[in-house]
Amino acid sequence: MSKDINNNLGFQTRAVHKGNGIDKETGAIKRPITMANSYELPYDPSDLNWSSAGKNLYTRNGGSNQQYLQEKLASLEGGEEAVVLASGVAALSGLFFALLKSGDHVIFSSVTYIAVYRLLNELLNNKFGVETTIVDTSNVENVKKAIKPNTKLIHIETPGNPTLTISDIKAIAKVAHDNGALLSVDNTFASPYNQRPVELGADFTVESLTKYINGHGDAMGGAIIGKKKYLDIIRAQSQINLGATISPFNAWLIMRGSVTLPLRMKQHNDNALKVAKYLQTVKGVSFVAYPGLENHPNHQIAKEQMTNGYGGVLSFGLKADHDTYNRVVSHLNVITSAVSLGHDESLIVFLGENDERQYLYPEEFHNGFFRFSVGIEDADDIIADLQQAFEKENLV
């Protein structure tokens, strides 16, 4: 049986209890993993809609673990419903596939996840005739100027990956709605603990559940949150007919990880701000990009729309050549060289001078930089690890 956890309760209480309940068969107080790919049919199944997502029929249509996770995410994000898919990219492509058709126009942020850049700048554009325009959405006037009569969707990412650009969700939502368009926001860098785009006027929030919501680096998933009338379309077209369904085990793992999201995000937020301030004191650091710093160009907007902190990701550059970046990484002991973000452990990746999106980044990023996902270790240990690596390369 499900617990009666209403949305008026606190974020942390809902993170713990929403979507959970007592298992009827065993009395277990945690939902079990249901690894079935098919469910028992009623006595007369002849009138069933075999593509229905409303009943447990076949796991591609949706299973119980997926449904529990969707219930929790809709509550945490402030949306009517959620659709959970196999990865963050599956959620993004599923959103675009369900909403867009040939001849539609999309405006999207110049700083976005690389899969969004390829989907909108290349694949949907070249293969299916969806017109796209890349703009710096940190300036709302750029968005207004890019609007066309056939603009169907504006897609922004804030904070943006990897330059930590901030876009004004409320202002861009107004531009979209005044012109008959929809707004989707990739919220992965913030998580619902720090920012809830639907509550700020966005039509859709997209999350890579692989990152902060799971938080343990051991499962993949993606989610779209918004109004039921749109989510029903996305579920039917992008989940059932394209088959981008999350596995029950991954849904269960992410459900487990999400319970500690508020606690982990507090630590990520605190640690990242401490590390960002430390990096500003290092003579060999050329720049630090983190929206929690007062010198960030969009700090005030971030302060207004990010409620509990500024996330755990920052980027920074060195006054050094290409090889020095790699040597610095080789000296690290606590911090791991790996892609992804939002894990319990700190992860760093050197993004070199040849990124295909480099021309879209601010000038200071053009000579290569680090993207640093600050973990939940002791901040002093993270800083000490950076310090000893910098010392070995005479950067302090």
Side-chain angles (χ1 to χ4, degrees):
M1 59 181 289
S2 295
K3 295 182 177 181
D4 183 18
I5 304 297
N6 66 62
N7 288 334
N8 294 323
L9 294 174
F11 187 95
Q12 191 157 314
T13 301
R14 285 179 286 129
V16 172
H17 292 285
K18 199 72 175 180
N20 195 29
I22 308 301
D23 181 52
K24 291 180 181 178
E25 184 174 348
T26 65
I29 65 170
K30 292 290 183 185
R31 299 286 196 187
I33 308 170
T34 305
M35 289 299 291
N37 62 20
S38 191
Y39 291 80
E40 183 183 28
L41 296 174
Y43 171 74
D44 181 2
S46 60
D47 62 349
L48 285 175
N49 175 0
W50 299 107
S51 294
S52 171
K55 297 178 184 289
N56 285 343
L57 301 174
Y58 185 58
T59 299
R60 177 166 54 81
N61 297 36
S64 54
N65 292 109
Q66 177 188 9
Q67 291 165 13
Y68 303 146
L69 180 56
Q70 287 172 168
E71 180 184 344
K72 175 173 287 194
L73 292 172
S75 175
L76 295 183
E77 298 276 5
E80 289 180 6
E81 287 205 7
V83 170
V84 177
L85 298 172
S87 68
V89 173
L92 289 160
S93 57
L95 175 74
F96 300 150
F97 177 83
L99 291 182
L100 302 172
K101 65 181 186 304
S102 180
D104 286 342
H105 176 239
V106 180
I107 298 167
F108 70 101
S109 296
S110 55
V111 177
T112 55
Y113 187 54
I114 194 165
V116 173
Y117 176 79
R118 290 174 180 161
L119 279 166
L120 293 176
N121 194 48
E122 299 170 14
L123 299 178
L124 288 175
N125 190 309
N126 297 334
K127 288 178 175 287
F128 303 108
V130 174
E131 185 184 358
T132 61
T133 301
I134 304 173
V135 303
D136 177 2
T137 56
S138 67
N139 185 335
V140 179
E141 292 304 311
N142 294 336
V143 181
K144 291 178 181 177
K145 291 174 184 176
I147 290 284
K148 297 183 178 183
N150 60 332
T151 301
K152 179 68 178 290
L153 178 70
I154 300 171
H155 177 77
I156 65 174
E157 187 173 302
T158 183
N161 181 8
T163 66
L164 284 302
T165 306
I166 299 295
S167 299
D168 189 329
I169 297 170
K170 280 185 178 179
I172 296 174
K174 185 176 189 308
V175 173
H177 299 153
D178 285 350
N179 290 277
L182 298 168
L183 173 64
S184 57
V185 179
D186 189 325
N187 196 49
T188 299
F189 266 38
S191 89
Y193 180 75
N194 287 334
Q195 182 173 268
R196 290 177 288 281
V198 169
E199 294 180 357
L200 294 168
D203 298 285
F204 307 100
T205 296
V206 184
E207 297 274 4
S208 174
L209 303 175
T210 311
K211 313 303 194 298
Y212 285 115
I213 292 174
N214 176 49
H216 292 74
D218 56 8
M220 295 190 77
I224 309 160
I225 300 94
K227 291 184 172 65
K228 183 180 186 302
K229 66 177 181 179
Y230 294 118
L231 272 291
D232 286 346
I233 296 169
I234 295 166
R235 185 177 287 110
Q237 295 187 12
S238 299
Q239 176 184 309
I240 296 172
N241 291 326
L242 290 183
T245 311
I246 193 170
S247 79
F249 185 43
N250 280 357
W252 183 88
L253 283 171
I254 294 167
M255 186 79 167
R256 173 222 58 184
S258 67
V259 169
T260 58
L261 174 67
L263 301 176
R264 288 184 285 103
M265 288 311 303
K266 287 178 183 176
Q267 186 79 351
H268 284 299
N269 290 339
D270 291 348
N271 281 0
L273 186 57
K274 289 175 183 175
V275 170
K277 288 180 176 180
Y278 158 72
L279 289 169
Q280 287 185 310
T281 70
V282 178
K283 70 175 184 180
V285 170
S286 58
F287 74 90
V288 184
Y290 183 65
L293 295 175
E294 292 184 2
N295 66 348
H296 188 284
N298 310 119
H299 172 70
Q300 190 56 40
I301 295 171
K303 188 176 180 180
E304 291 170 3
Q305 68 187 20
M306 300 182 77
T307 54
N308 293 309
Y310 302 95
V313 182
L314 57 87
S315 291
F316 67 97
L318 299 178
K319 298 172 185 174
D321 61 16
H322 186 101
D323 289 340
T324 303
Y325 276 93
N326 288 321
R327 288 198 303 271
V328 166
V329 172
S330 74
H331 300 318
L332 296 170
N333 297 310
V334 174
I335 302 161
T336 301
S337 175
V339 296
S340 200
L341 58 103
H343 292 204
D344 44 5
E345 62 183 310
S346 293
L347 305 176
I348 198 165
V349 58
F350 171 41
L351 297 171
E353 306 89 339
N354 298 319
D355 189 301
E356 64 192 86
R357 301 161 295 166
Q358 198 77 265
Y359 73 101
L360 296 168
Y361 298 164
E363 183 69 28
E364 61 266 28
F365 288 82
H366 289 188
N367 295 320
F369 60 96
F370 287 126
R371 190 191 71 182
F372 185 19
S373 173
V374 182
I376 61 172
E377 303 97 339
D378 289 313
D380 289 347
D381 292 332
I382 298 170
I383 290 169
D385 199 31
L386 290 168
Q387 178 78 8
Q388 61 83 25
F390 293 154
E391 286 175 352
K392 288 175 181 174
E393 296 300 325
N394 297 313
L395 294 168
V396 293

